[in-house]
Amino acid sequence: NLSQIIYSENEWAGYTIEKYQQSGREYDRDSVRLDIVYNASIAYLNVLRQKTIELLQKENLQLTQANLKRANIRLNTGVAGPDEVYRWQTKFANDRQIVLREQSSTLDVMQNLNRILNRPLLEEFVAEEMDLSDPLLITGNQLFYKLFKNPRYFKGFQKFTIQEGLESSPELKAIDADIASQERLVLKSKRDYWLPTVSIQGDVEQYLSTSGKGQRDEDLNGLDDTDWTVGVYATLPLFEGGRKSATMSKAKIELNRL
């Protein structure tokens, strides 16, 4: 037996829709990749920011320690009283707590960066300092400064960046893929009313042995030992209890939402 579909709107639409959906999944993956790059960049800048804050607090602690030593000298020489020493001792203890807290915060932001980059959480690293003149950054490009310095250039550059952002946005491309998929589903729903499924079917039967005189005598009834049939069939359900209209309405509502 052989059965082969020549044309099926349901199968063809399913194949086309799946292609659009696969494109949407790929765009979603690109969106996740860009989000990871963005989050990693923010996390790295947070590490630099936190290390700078930690450094400032350590310098402040060193200054407090120097003032405490000076207060002890003043106390020993009789220039100042013990109250001055007590005040700087309290200040030193508070500043030390602040330094320890900032060191803990630095470890936290470093662990967050390791988590985003899928590195061991407790793995330490040396963060390279960055500034706006870094040639690896777009801000280090002289053309970038010129575009921002001149209002007329900046207006044209702004339009260009907005258009580029819209054309390259994976989120918008994913939505476009969903819209194309839904449009194809709406078209399928309309065709379901009049477009049949066409298939070709055939079968072959070979009689290896028959008993009885005259059973398949080619001379008497024109039958040899092989029977075969081939046919082309078109099927079209005429009534399905409102399923077609319900499917079309749902597809149109989803298309309008997208």
Side-chain angles (χ1 to χ4, degrees):
N1 296 298
L2 172 66
S3 178
Q4 173 63 49
I5 294 178
I6 299 177
Y7 182 83
S8 172
E9 177 63 17
N10 186 59
E11 301 296 333
W12 183 249
Y15 169 74
T16 306
I17 290 173
E18 185 60 30
K19 287 179 61 178
Y20 289 129
Q21 291 180 348
Q22 176 62 20
S23 298
R25 286 188 284 266
E26 292 176 356
Y27 291 136
D28 289 338
R29 177 199 60 192
D30 295 339
S31 177
V32 172
R33 180 182 290 114
L34 290 176
D35 288 340
I36 294 175
V37 172
Y38 173 77
N39 292 331
S41 302
I42 296 300
Y44 185 76
L45 293 177
N46 286 337
V47 170
L48 297 181
R49 173 179 174 275
Q50 185 58 39
K51 289 181 74 68
T52 301
I53 294 176
E54 179 186 342
L55 179 61
L56 292 176
Q57 295 299 336
K58 286 182 178 179
E59 292 177 351
N60 187 43
L61 178 63
Q62 292 175 356
L63 180 60
T64 302
Q65 187 177 17
N67 289 328
L68 177 59
K69 291 181 179 179
R70 191 176 298 109
N72 285 321
I73 295 175
R74 289 165 57 85
L75 176 63
N76 295 331
T77 57
V79 178
D83 58 322
E84 182 175 343
V85 176
Y86 297 153
R87 181 169 65 86
W88 284 111
Q89 286 177 344
T90 303
K91 182 71 166 57
F92 179 79
N94 292 334
D95 289 348
R96 187 179 182 187
Q97 288 182 354
I98 294 175
V99 169
L100 293 176
R101 185 165 58 248
E102 295 302 332
Q103 288 178 338
S104 176
S105 298
T106 301
L107 293 178
D108 290 340
V109 294
M110 292 180 70
Q111 288 181 8
N112 182 52
L113 179 58
N114 285 334
R115 178 186 60 80
I116 295 175
L117 297 180
N118 196 29
R119 292 156 48 108
L121 289 180
L122 300 180
E123 184 177 56
E124 297 186 1
F125 56 89
V126 177
E128 182 180 356
E129 291 294 334
M130 303 175 63
D131 55 37
L132 295 180
S133 61
D134 194 322
L136 294 179
L137 300 177
I138 189 174
T139 54
N141 192 324
Q142 291 298 322
L143 176 61
F144 184 78
Y145 279 112
K146 293 180 181 179
L147 292 173
F148 271 76
K149 185 177 181 180
N150 189 312
R152 182 168 62 89
Y153 290 162
F154 176 72
K155 186 175 181 180
F157 177 67
Q158 187 181 37
K159 291 181 179 179
F160 167 77
T161 53
I162 291 175
Q163 185 63 31
E164 284 294 308
L166 293 175
E167 292 179 357
S168 60
S169 171
E171 292 87 356
L172 295 180
K173 290 181 179 180
I175 294 177
D176 289 338
D178 290 339
I179 291 175
S181 172
Q182 201 63 30
E183 288 176 342
R184 185 63 181 87
L185 183 58
V186 171
L187 179 61
K188 171 198 172 294
S189 300
K190 294 179 179 179
R191 289 179 175 178
D192 281 344
Y193 283 98
W194 57 270
L195 188 59
T197 298
V198 182
S199 62
I200 181 172
Q201 298 180 18
D203 66 86
V204 178
E205 293 184 359
Q206 179 68 35
Y207 289 87
L208 302 179
S209 175
T210 56
S211 61
K213 185 176 181 181
Q215 288 292 322
R216 298 183 65 83
D217 193 334
E218 187 174 0
D219 294 335
L220 296 178
N221 51 30
L223 296 177
D224 55 15
D225 291 338
T226 303
D227 290 346
W228 59 271
T229 59
V230 176
V232 177
Y233 299 86
T235 58
L236 179 63
L238 298 180
F239 180 75
E240 293 183 319
R243 184 190 65 85
K244 294 180 180 179
S245 59
T247 301
M248 179 182 294
S249 298
K250 180 180 178 181
K252 288 182 177 180
I253 292 174
E254 181 65 17
L255 178 59
N256 290 332
R257 186 188 68 82
L258 291 171

